[in-house]
Amino acid sequence: MGVMVREYRSTDASVLAKLFYETIHTVNARDYTSAQLDAWAPHPPAPVPFDRALCAGRTVVAVEGDQPVGFASMDEGGYLDYLYVSKDCQGRGIATALCDALEAACPAPSFSTKASITARPFFERRGYRVVEHERVERNGVLLDRFAMEK
């Protein structure tokens, strides 16, 4: 059974909150310290506020069978706010499928994101370029990220 991309549903919020937390604490562990990971995502987001955040833009979910394995969200101005794929499904083209779906449906003339160290190579392969290296503070800890545009 393959992966299918569908529109986000509010009933996805709790599963995606857990996926968000687990992805950060496993996939991003090669580029960030434990303290940085804990500052970025000290715990899975609460489902209700997370649902509101995901409903603020267009969010799509990658599902395998009936199990969500990734999600991405973009506003109508072309800003990609979320892109997370399950730690168990990395390298299978899921992030590409999610981005392709959002970019194809977005009327914006260009796209932008704030990419982690981990995600930067993925976005560069998609034609994004670094506009600025940023150091942001989360819960008293500094994190490196990259403002990128396509």
Side-chain angles (χ1 to χ4, degrees), residues 59-72:
T59 301
V60 292
V61 179
V63 292
E64 195 164 46
D66 62 352
Q67 183 63 37
V69 294
F71 69 101

Side-chain angles (χ1 to χ4, degrees), residues 19-89:
L19 186 150
F20 169 84
Y21 176 83
E22 288 178 351
T23 300
I24 290 169
H25 282 269
T26 56
V27 175
N28 296 94
R30 70 177 180 254
D31 297 307
Y32 294 91
T33 67
S34 293
Q36 289 173 316
L37 298 173
D38 288 339
W40 182 353
H43 47 75
V48 172
F50 197 56
D51 175 52
R52 279 196 296 269
L54 296 180
C55 287
R58 179 164 186 243
T59 301
V60 292
V61 179
V63 292
E64 195 164 46
D66 62 352
Q67 183 63 37
V69 294
F71 69 101
S73 183
M74 181 178 279
D75 69 21
E76 62 187 39
Y79 178 71
L80 182 72
D81 193 17
Y82 292 95
L83 176 61
Y84 292 91
V85 174
S86 167
K87 62 183 174 52
D88 300 320
C89 298

Side-chain angles (χ1 to χ4, degrees), residues 50-149:
F50 197 56
D51 175 52
R52 279 196 296 269
L54 296 180
C55 287
R58 179 164 186 243
T59 301
V60 292
V61 179
V63 292
E64 195 164 46
D66 62 352
Q67 183 63 37
V69 294
F71 69 101
S73 183
M74 181 178 279
D75 69 21
E76 62 187 39
Y79 178 71
L80 182 72
D81 193 17
Y82 292 95
L83 176 61
Y84 292 91
V85 174
S86 167
K87 62 183 174 52
D88 300 320
C89 298
Q90 296 286 309
R92 294 177 40 202
I94 295 169
T96 297
L98 290 166
C99 285
D100 286 351
L102 289 173
E103 289 178 4
C106 184
S110 63
F111 305 105
S112 62
T113 194
K114 305 282 183 161
S116 66
I117 295 167
T118 312
R120 178 182 171 179
F122 168 79
F123 285 108
E124 287 176 331
R125 286 190 301 274
R126 289 189 64 77
Y128 285 71
R129 63 179 179 77
V130 173
V131 176
E132 182 180 2
H133 176 225
E134 301 176 337
R135 182 162 276 169
V136 295
E137 186 253 320
R138 295 284 185 266
N139 298 316
V141 178
L142 293 175
L143 300 165
D144 289 306
R145 71 179 185 188
F146 301 92
M148 301 185 77
E149 291 180 350

